[in-house]
């Protein structure tokens, strides 16, 4: 009884405090390890980085789901605005200069803001965390590096497969019947701008038989992938369109992509 008494000079000299501090530290380490074990065996996590093609799909899907969230509507959101040039207006000429204005279509999308969000999906609670790295930047786009982490109870990852399938289906419906342009970014292809409405080949006026000849040649090429592979020939084909500005070269490319897409 006198060992831990204040009358004991050893305990009073600091040995007792060291023992108590060591005990508290062990308890803290034990609780940390216990939480890690519980997280490893009782939770499943999905991470989606901003480099992944599914990242914008999941962001849009999360916002749509949060709008009908039984826990409550989203209160912390971010905005993503895209602009697409749609048509040129008539030029206005005055005594000093020529002014040509462009009508633009503005598309505003809301997405969950960086931070933690709680969501209910198929009767199961999901913790959503959108993380934005301030010190890391995508050199191609100039945007901060981001990722989304989805956490759910249990050990079955089927729920994440369902979420990705739903997000993909929603994205495909938004792009259905439209032409998507991709541009090369280093070693990958990324979508360039918003999806555009398809244009009919009949709306592009070219010399007689030119459009039909190109379309037929492209279809033959699409059916000959195995022929190229069996002979070790790179599977690609190029076309050179020439003519004065305004002759329909870019319009024909867009219409051809819409027909084949």
């Amino acid at each position: 009884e006198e060992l831990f008494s204040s009358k004991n000079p050893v305990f009073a000299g600091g040995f007792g405090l060291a023992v108590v501090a060591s005990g508290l530290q062990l308890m803290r380490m034990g609780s940390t390890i216990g939480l890690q074990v519980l997280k490893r065996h009782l939770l499943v996590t999905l991470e989606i980085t901003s480099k992944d093609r599914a990242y914008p799909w999941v962001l849009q899907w999360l916002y749509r789901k949060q709008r009908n969230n039984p826990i409550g509507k989203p209160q912390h959101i971010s905005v993503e605005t895209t602009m697409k040039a749609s048509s040129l207006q008539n030029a206005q000429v005055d005594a000093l200069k020529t002014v040509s204005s462009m009508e633009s279509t503005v598309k505003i999308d809301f997405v969950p803001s960086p931070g933690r969000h709680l969501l209910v999906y198929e009767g199961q609670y999901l913790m959503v965390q959108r993380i934005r790295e301030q010190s890391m930047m995508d050199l191609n786009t100039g945007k901060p590096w981001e990722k989304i982490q989805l956490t759910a109870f249990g050990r079955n990852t089927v729920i994440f497969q369902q979420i990705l399938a739903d997000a993909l289906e929603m994205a495909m419906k938004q792009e259905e019947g439209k032409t998507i342009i991709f541009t090369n970014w280093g070693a990958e292809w990324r979508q360039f701008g918003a999806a555009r409405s398809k244009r009919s080949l009949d709306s592009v006026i070219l010399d007689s038989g030119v459009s039909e000849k190109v379309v037929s040649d492209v279809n033959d090429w699409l059916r000959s992938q195995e022929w190229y592979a069996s002979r070790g020939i790179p599977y690609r084909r190029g076309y050179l369109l020439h003519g004065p500005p305004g002759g329909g070269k870019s319009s024909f490319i867009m219409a051809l992509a819409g027909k084949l897409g």
Side-chain angles (χ1 to χ4, degrees), residues 3-248:
L3 179 61
F4 298 100
S5 173
S6 60
K7 297 180 180 180
N8 189 321
V10 177
F11 187 89
F15 176 76
L17 296 177
V19 171
V20 173
S22 299
L24 293 176
Q25 182 65 21
L26 289 174
M27 292 176 60
R28 181 180 178 183
M29 292 177 59
S31 61
T32 302
I33 296 175
L35 289 175
Q36 292 178 352
V37 171
L38 291 176
K39 184 177 180 180
R40 180 178 296 273
H41 294 283
L42 298 181
L43 300 176
V44 288
T45 303
L46 173 67
E47 180 178 282
I48 308 170
T49 66
S50 54
K51 291 277 290 184
D52 193 273
R53 183 70 177 90
Y55 187 79
W57 306 342
V58 175
L59 273 181
Q60 287 291 330
W61 180 87
L62 286 172
Y63 177 72
R64 297 289 178 87
K65 285 298 179 182
Q66 282 185 319
R67 290 173 58 184
N68 301 319
N69 193 2
I71 300 178
K73 294 184 178 181
Q75 295 178 294
H76 307 285
I77 57 178
S78 298
V79 64
E80 291 185 352
T81 305
T82 55
M83 301 182 66
K84 180 185 69 174
S86 58
S87 62
L88 289 173
Q89 301 294 333
N90 295 329
Q92 298 178 349
V93 182
D94 58 18
L96 298 177
K97 59 183 178 179
T98 301
V99 179
S100 60
S101 60
M102 180 177 292
E103 179 185 358
S104 299
T105 301
V106 180
K107 180 183 179 183
I108 298 177
D109 292 319
F110 291 104
V111 295
S113 64
R116 296 180 183 271
H117 307 268
L118 189 61
L119 179 69
V120 177
Y121 175 71
E122 298 293 336
Q124 186 169 351
Y125 285 91
L126 289 174
M127 175 61 70
V128 181
Q129 186 176 9
R130 183 182 178 187
I131 302 172
R132 176 178 293 170
E133 299 288 347
Q134 300 297 333
S135 58
M136 298 180 62
M137 191 81 66
D138 188 338
L139 298 180
N140 292 325
T141 62
K143 296 181 179 179
W145 178 266
E146 293 187 3
K147 64 180 179 180
I148 297 175
Q149 285 185 344
L150 305 178
T151 304
F153 290 101
R155 304 183 65 179
N156 195 340
T157 59
V158 174
I159 186 173
F160 296 144
Q161 298 175 7
Q162 295 174 347
I163 290 174
L164 293 176
D166 289 350
L168 175 60
E169 183 181 0
M170 188 187 75
M172 293 298 100
K173 287 183 178 180
Q174 293 178 346
E175 298 174 353
E176 186 177 359
K178 296 184 178 180
T179 301
I180 305 173
I181 301 176
F182 289 87
T183 185
N184 180 260
W185 289 89
E188 61 179 310
W189 291 89
R190 295 187 181 182
Q191 183 173 336
F192 180 76
R196 304 184 183 184
S197 300
K198 287 186 177 181
R199 180 170 180 172
S200 172
L201 279 171
D202 297 334
S203 66
V204 183
I205 301 176
L206 299 176
D207 291 342
S208 178
V210 173
S211 177
E212 293 79 3
K213 183 178 180 180
V214 175
V215 172
S216 176
D217 187 79
V218 172
N219 286 327
D220 289 341
W221 173 73
L222 291 174
R223 292 190 294 264
S224 60
Q225 185 173 2
E226 293 183 1
W227 186 91
Y228 279 79
S230 63
R231 290 160 176 80
I233 302 175
Y235 182 63
R236 59 172 179 256
R237 194 164 187 83
Y239 298 91
L240 176 62
L241 305 181
H242 61 90

